[in-house]
């Protein structure tokens, strides 16, 4: 099976920083394609924050460009999201996502982390 384990969320003051981590664990060999971070605030739709592809190219939502940075470490099967100059409107549950091919299975599937709460106080 495949699990994405997130960490790094918490409470920060406006203007502060957080670094979120997401590590892929699986009982079988696997390869990871694109990875991304999403967030969902109460009463709002889940939205894409950033995506990073196998070659390292990235895309960001216009609202977070220059504020968030996505990166990955293929050796550790991990993806990270660094957020700086955080604002109260960044408060949300943040979810990591990965498209993964498990060796021995047909095709690739999307997997999600459990979500980690980020709260930015004013």
């Amino acid at each position: 099976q495949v699990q994405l384990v997130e960490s790094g969320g918490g409470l920060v003051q406006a203007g502060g920083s957080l670094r979120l981590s997401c590590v892929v664990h699986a009982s079988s060999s696997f390869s990871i394609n694109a990875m991304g971070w999403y967030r969902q605030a109460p009463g709002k739709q889940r939205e894409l924050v950033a995506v990073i592809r196998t070659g390292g190219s990235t895309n960001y939502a216009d609202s977070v460009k220059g504020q968030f940075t996505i990166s990955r470490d293929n050796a550790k099967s991990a993806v990270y999201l660094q957020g700086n100059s955080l604002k109260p409107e960044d408060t949300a549950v943040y979810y990591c996502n990965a498209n993964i091919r498990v060796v021995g299975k047909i095709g690739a599937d999307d997997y999600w982390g459990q979500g980690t709460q980020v709260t930015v106080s004013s």
Side-chain angles (χ1 to χ4, degrees):
Q1 73 276 33
V2 177
Q3 291 89 37
L4 276 60
V5 181
E6 300 182 30
S7 62
L11 174 66
V12 297
Q13 294 183 353
S17 299
L18 278 179
R19 180 178 173 86
L20 306 182
S21 298
C22 175
V23 181
V24 178
H25 299 274
S27 57
S28 302
S29 297
F30 61 94
S31 61
I32 305 174
N33 300 312
M35 308 181 78
W37 286 94
Y38 295 72
R39 67 184 182 184
Q40 186 169 23
K44 296 184 178 180
Q45 296 288 325
R46 184 175 299 188
E47 64 176 351
L48 176 68
V49 178
V51 62
I52 184 167
R53 287 169 282 277
T54 55
S57 63
T58 59
N59 290 98
Y60 297 89
D62 289 340
S63 60
V64 305
K65 193 172 184 179
Q67 182 185 359
F68 287 87
T69 302
I70 188 171
S71 61
R72 66 192 290 172
D73 186 335
N74 291 328
K76 296 181 178 180
S77 299
V79 62
Y80 309 96
L81 185 70
Q82 176 71 41
N84 299 321
S85 301
L86 295 174
K87 313 166 187 175
E89 51 262 44
D90 295 318
T91 296
V93 178
Y94 285 71
Y95 299 89
C96 65
N97 168 269
N99 185 257
I100 299 172
R101 176 185 178 270
V102 177
V103 174
K105 295 185 178 181
I106 299 175
D109 297 298
D110 287 327
Y111 297 87
W112 292 89
Q114 80 279 10
T116 184
Q117 176 72 48
V118 172
T119 302
V120 183
S121 64
S122 59

